[in-house]
Amino acid sequence: MVLQERLSKYRTEIYEILFSLYNRTDLGSDFEKLLEKRYIERSTDLKKLDQNRISNPNWYLDKQMVGITMYSDLFAESLNGLKEKIPYLKELGITYLHLMPILKMPKDKNDGGYAVDSLVDIDPKFGSNKDLENLCSELRKNNISLCLDFVLNHTSSTHPWALKAKNGNIEAQERYFFYNNRDVPNYYDSIVPEVFPSSAPGNFTYVEELNKWVLTSFYPFQWDLNYKNPKVLFDIIDSMLSLANLGNEIFRLDAVPYIWKELGTKCRNLDEVHKIVRLIHIVMEIVCPAIILKGEVVMAPNELAAYFGSEEKRECHLLYNSALMANLWDSLVSQDTKLLVDQLNSILSLPKHCNFVNYIRCHDDIGWALDMQNQYDMNQDPLEHKIFIYNFLSGNFPYSYSCGELYNYDPISKDARSCGTSASFCGIEKALINNSDEEMDKAIKRDLLMHSLIFSIEGFPLLSSGDEIAQLNDYSYKNDFLKYEDQRNVHRSKFNWDRAELRKSKGTYQQRIFDGIKELTANKKINNCFNNDTFVSTWDSHNDKVLIIRRTYKEEELLCVFSFSDSEEFFYTDNLVGDYVDLFSNSRMTPGWGYKIKSHQYIWAKKIMEK
Ligand code: GLC
C-alpha cells in the first residue's frame, strides 16, 4: 500500500523526533494511526494531485506562479462570493491564493482571525467546510492553488480547550502554560522580548477564573500552546491533515519560530521548533505530498535560513522574504540600494532548495529590520535612519509624498514600524489630495517600480489584494471600537469593487497600476529567464541608485534594471556584450558606458540572440 511505502521511508526519523521531543517510545504507533486515518479519508481527486506533484515536486517554482493574499470577507464577503470572483483573479494571472484566517474566531477582538476558536471549522461568516471544499476544487480547475493560514502558536482564549481550562479541567490546562504566581512570569519577562510592546505589553495575562497567569506572547486573548504536551502536537497535525483533505495546497505556518518554550532562553527558533517543522514536512510527504509549507519567519537572516532545513532534511518549502520588504521601502525612500543589494546577495547565496515569496505589502506592518552592521559600515546611524524612514512614510515631513501610520511606537526606544498600502506609501493618496497630475505620474511610477521588483527577484511575487487597483489607506478603523487600537487596520480595508471597475477606463490610476502589474505578470509567464533553474545574481551598475538583477537561463539572458532615483541617472555595466531590448518599451539598449535611465524607471532588457 502506498501509505506504508511512504511511511517506511520516514518511520525511523519520525520515531527519533518523537523520542527526542518527549523522551517516550510509545507515541509512534498512535502517530501512525493518525496518518493512516487521514490518508484513507483523502479523496481520489486529491490523491491524483499528490501523484502529479510527486512527479513535479518543484511545481511551486514554475514561472507561471503569481500570488495574491487577501481577507476573503473584505474581498468577496464569503467563500462562495470568492468563487464568483475567480475570473478577476484569472484576469490578473493569479495561480496562488493566500486567504487570511478563515477558521472560527471570536466575534469581537480576534487579531484578524489569528485568535482561533477552532482548528478545523470554518467561521460561519465565511461559509462552511463544504464551501471551502467546493472553492478549492473550483480553484484547482482554474490552476489556482489555495494557501490557508494555520495558527500553531496559540488558540483564542475562547477556544473549547481554553474554556475547559478556565472551568478547571486539568487535561485542558496542560495544553497551555499556567502559573500560580508571578515568579516564573517575572523571570520569563526579564529574558523574552515582547512581540507587541505597546499594543500588548508583557508576555502573561491574568486569568481571573483560575487566579493564575497564562502565557500570551501575542495578544492577551491568544493563549500560547504547550507543545511539551504531545497531545497538542498530535491535535495540531491532525487538524492540518483534515484541512488538507478539503483541498488546501499550501499551509502558511503562522508565527512558527515561537512554538517551543524553554525557560531561560528567548523562546524563539529553538531546536525543537525545527524538529516539529521537519515532522510536519514528513507528515505531508506521507499523507498528502501535494502540499507544501510556507513559514512565517520574521527573523534575522542567519535564523531565517534554518527554516528551510538541509537539502536532505527539508522543513519549509517557502519562506516570506520580509527583509526584502523593509529593504525595498528603505531604498525607495533613501534613494540608495546598497543595503538592498547586500540583502539580495545574501539571499541569492542560499542553496537551491531555499525559496521565497517576495512582496512589498502584506496584512502586517513593516518592521525596520535593516542590517545594522552594514549600516554602520555606511556611516549610517541605524536608529536615526529608522526614525527618518518611518517619519517619511508616515508623511511627517512636508516634502514627503507618502501617507502612512506608525505601529507600536515606543517613546523610550523610539522604535516603530509602519503601516499603509503601497499606493499611499508611493504617493497616490497625496497626489489626489493635491489634485496634481504631475505628482500622480511620479507616484504611479514608484508604485510600479516597487511591484516590478517582486517580479524580478528569485522566488515568486505575492500581491496584496487591493494594491493592484492602488487602494488607499482607510482611516475609518479609528471609529471602530474593535479596531482603533491596531493601526494595521489602515491597510486592511474592504475591496472596493466600484473602484476596481475603473481599471477598465483608460488613464485612471487604477487602470495604469492594474495594467502595469498585468504586463509584469504576462512577461514573467512567457520568459524562459523566469524558469526555476535560472541563475539569478545582482550586477554592478556603478551607481548606488540603480539596481541590476541578471537572470540567465542556458543561452538566454535578461537584465532587470531599476532606478530608485528621483531624477534621471546613468549606469554602466562591466563584462556584458551584445544588444538588449527592453520588454516594456521595446527600445534597444547596448549596455556600456553611461546608459540612461529615467526616474523610477524599470527595464527588463532581454539579450538579443545571434541568429
Ligand atoms: C502573525 C500574523 C499577525 C498576527 C500574529 C499573531 O505574525 O501575521 O498578523 O498578529 O501572527 O498570530
Side-chain angles (χ1 to χ4, degrees):
M1 186 180 154
V2 179
L3 181 77
Q4 286 308 323
E5 261 169 46
R6 295 193 199 141
L7 245 172
S8 64
K9 185 169 160 202
Y10 292 111
R11 185 172 280 117
T12 316
E13 202 184 337
I14 294 176
Y15 281 62
E16 273 170 12
I17 294 177
L18 290 174
F19 183 73
S20 72
L21 292 175
Y22 302 112
N23 206 15
R24 281 172 58 174
T25 50
D26 60 325
L27 294 169
S29 64
D30 281 350
F31 196 75
E32 285 191 30
K33 277 190 208 126
L34 184 163
L35 305 193
E36 198 172 331
K37 180 183 96 193
R38 292 299 180 190
Y39 176 79
I40 292 169
E41 179 194 274
R42 195 158 169 83
S43 72
T44 326
D45 252 14
L46 291 175
K47 283 183 178 157
K48 224 184 268 164
L49 184 71
D50 290 335
Q51 280 311 325
N52 292 342
R53 296 272 163 88
I54 289 174
S55 32
N56 180 19
N58 287 328
W59 62 274
Y60 57 95
L61 301 173
D62 196 279
K63 61 176 182 276
Q64 301 302 320
M65 285 302 271
V66 176
I68 195 163
T69 176
M70 63 173 62
Y71 288 93
S72 16
D73 51 343
L74 297 181
F75 183 72
E77 308 286 342
S78 65
L79 297 178
N80 284 335
L82 187 50
K83 212 163 63 185
E84 306 302 313
K85 300 293 184 194
I86 291 178
Y88 176 83
L89 300 178
K90 300 275 288 178
E91 190 185 334
L92 206 52
I94 299 300
T95 58
Y96 170 108
L97 171 63
H98 167 215
L99 293 185
M100 303 302 298
I102 52 170
L103 296 180
K104 272 191 186 154
M105 60 185 83
K107 286 209 168 46
D108 43 13
K109 289 189 179 173
N110 56 40
D111 187 22
Y114 286 102
V116 286
D117 274 352
S118 165
L119 295 170
V120 285
D121 290 328
I122 305 302
D123 193 297
K125 74 176 173 194
F126 302 108
S128 63
N129 285 35
K130 192 75 208 154
D131 295 339
L132 177 66
E133 196 170 8
N134 290 338
L135 172 67
C136 287
S137 89
E138 207 50 40
L139 287 170
R140 264 199 314 283
K141 282 186 207 142
N142 286 282
N143 291 322
I144 302 176
S145 299
L146 188 76
C147 167
L148 284 184
D149 246 289
F150 197 86
V151 181
L152 296 150
N153 182 66
H154 43 258
T155 71
S156 66
S157 54
T158 44
H159 184 281
W161 297 345
L163 294 179
K164 274 194 196 162
K166 277 188 224 170
N167 275 334
N169 181 306
I170 302 292
E171 196 270 347
Q173 285 178 11
E174 282 168 0
R175 291 172 181 255
Y176 302 97
F177 297 91
F178 280 102
Y179 300 96
N180 293 331
N181 56 45
R182 285 285 320 180
D183 291 349
V184 174
N186 286 344
Y187 177 58
Y188 186 100
D189 278 346
S190 71
I191 299 177
V192 182
E194 294 159 317
V195 180
F196 298 135
S198 57
S199 54
N203 287 303
F204 293 84
T205 301
Y206 181 65
V207 182
E208 222 177 288
E209 292 88 335
L210 298 171
N211 186 24
K212 286 183 185 194
W213 293 85
V214 71
L215 178 63
T216 53
S217 304
F218 289 81
Y219 281 109
F221 50 86
Q222 288 163 315
W223 290 8
D224 287 56
L225 286 167
N226 182 359
Y227 279 83
K228 288 195 174 166
N229 177 349
K231 283 187 190 151
V232 168
L233 179 70
F234 277 46
D235 284 342
I236 286 285
I237 289 183
D238 190 46
S239 307
M240 291 181 87
L241 291 176
S242 118
L243 290 171
N245 282 351
L246 295 178
N248 180 49
E249 297 182 34
I250 302 111
F251 280 109
R252 174 189 184 273
L253 304 181
D254 181 61
V256 63
Y258 301 83
I259 63 176
W260 193 275
K261 277 83 180 178
E262 210 59 71
L263 211 55
T265 73
K266 289 208 165 142
C267 297
R268 281 137 167 81
N269 308 310
L270 297 178
D271 283 352
E272 289 81 358
V273 174
H274 290 284
K275 288 182 185 162
I276 292 174
V277 181
R278 172 67 187 153
L279 187 64
I280 296 174
H281 183 109
I282 294 176
V283 165
M284 299 298 153
E285 293 266 300
I286 296 173
V287 183
C288 39
I291 291 194
I292 59 165
L293 305 176
K294 176 177 69 166
E296 192 227 2
V297 181
V298 184
M299 293 286 154
N302 55 333
E303 281 144 357
L304 184 78
Y307 285 85
F308 288 117
S310 64
E311 236 175 310
E312 299 72 41
K313 294 195 172 177
R314 295 181 62 180
E315 296 178 19
C316 293
H317 301 77
L318 292 168
L319 292 179
Y320 279 96
N321 200 346
S322 68
L324 177 76
M325 169 169 67
N327 277 291
L328 283 174
W329 289 106
D330 173 63
S331 295
L332 186 74
V333 173
S334 56
Q335 301 183 54
D336 187 333
T337 66
K338 284 200 283 296
L339 291 174
L340 173 62
V341 170
D342 280 331
Q343 196 258 336
L344 286 175
N345 285 341
S346 71
I347 293 268
L348 289 169
S349 64
L350 293 173
K352 204 61 205 150
H353 70 286
C354 304
N355 291 288
F356 289 90
V357 286
N358 301 311
Y359 58 107
I360 49 174
R361 289 303 295 117
C362 63
H363 68 291
D364 277 332
D365 49 287
I366 308 174
W368 296 109
L370 303 174
D371 187 319
M372 296 222 299
Q373 193 48 54
N374 279 342
Q375 290 183 291
Y376 287 127
D377 293 347
M378 287 163 60
N379 283 329
Q380 194 175 82
D381 181 292
L383 183 60
E384 257 175 38
H385 187 71
K386 177 159 56 182
I387 294 172
F388 163 69
I389 298 287
Y390 67 57
N391 275 315
F392 186 98
L393 283 181
S394 294
N396 292 343
F397 303 128
Y399 58 85
S400 161
Y401 49 72
S402 170
C403 293
E405 300 217 320
L406 293 186
Y407 180 62
N408 270 282
Y409 173 70
D410 180 342
I412 296 164
S413 70
K414 298 274 185 285
D415 186 46
R417 314 178 205 164
S418 299
C419 293
T421 67
S422 57
S424 288
F425 279 158
C426 286
I428 295 184
E429 188 175 333
K430 273 241 167 104
L432 289 169
I433 295 170
N434 296 340
N435 198 12
S436 161
D437 288 347
E438 193 192 330
E439 283 180 36
M440 181 58 86
D441 283 347
K442 287 187 182 165
I444 289 174
K445 282 198 187 121
R446 286 185 208 108
D447 192 318
L448 288 176
L449 169 82
M450 293 294 278
H451 277 101
S452 73
L453 274 138
I454 56 171
F455 279 79
S456 310
I457 290 164
E458 201 169 41
F460 68 86
L462 185 62
L463 302 168
S464 183
S465 165
D467 279 0
E468 76 281 13
I469 52 156
Q471 207 145 284
L472 305 176
N473 289 344
D474 180 352
Y475 304 96
S476 63
Y477 79 95
K478 293 185 198 234
N479 307 320
D480 184 332
F481 80 104
L482 288 176
K483 293 188 175 160
Y484 76 97
E485 284 172 320
D486 193 331
Q487 293 85 359
R488 292 177 298 179
N489 288 310
V490 79
H491 54 248
R492 294 177 180 175
S493 58
K494 218 169 158 55
F495 188 86
N496 190 322
W497 284 100
D498 290 337
R499 296 248 170 86
E501 276 301 296
L502 294 173
R503 74 187 185 281
K504 299 173 187 158
S505 306
K506 194 141 181 48
T508 60
Y509 68 85
Q510 289 88 352
Q511 175 266 323
R512 292 166 71 189
I513 297 286
F514 192 87
D515 284 352
I517 293 176
K518 254 174 71 177
E519 193 181 24
L520 287 163
T521 304
N523 272 322
K524 174 181 185 285
K525 290 188 184 222
I526 54 168
N527 201 307
N528 284 337
C529 290
F530 289 97
N531 283 349
N532 172 27
D533 31 8
T534 293
F535 181 74
V536 186
S537 65
T538 58
W539 206 259
D540 196 358
S541 70
H542 297 272
N543 180 340
D544 288 335
K545 295 184 176 180
V546 179
L547 168 74
I548 303 183
I549 293 170
R550 182 170 179 251
R551 310 186 63 108
T552 47
Y553 176 75
K554 298 185 181 157
E555 308 289 274
E556 299 181 48
E557 182 185 328
L558 187 74
L559 275 191
C560 309
V561 191
F562 312 88
S563 164
F564 283 84
S565 173
D566 271 352
S567 37
E568 191 171 81
E569 293 291 330
F570 290 89
F571 67 94
Y572 74 93
T573 53
D574 305 311
N575 302 327
L576 295 179
V577 281
D579 291 327
Y580 294 72
V581 60
D582 178 16
L583 301 182
F584 302 115
S585 64
N586 271 328
S587 59
R588 275 174 91 102
M589 86 180 229
T590 309
W593 268 101
Y595 195 80
K596 232 191 293 179
I597 184 163
K598 290 193 207 114
S599 162
H600 299 128
Q601 188 186 351
Y602 54 95
I603 297 171
W604 277 0
K606 177 104 208 221
K607 186 164 182 169
I608 301 171
M609 309 274 276
E610 305 262 324
K611 291 261 157 63

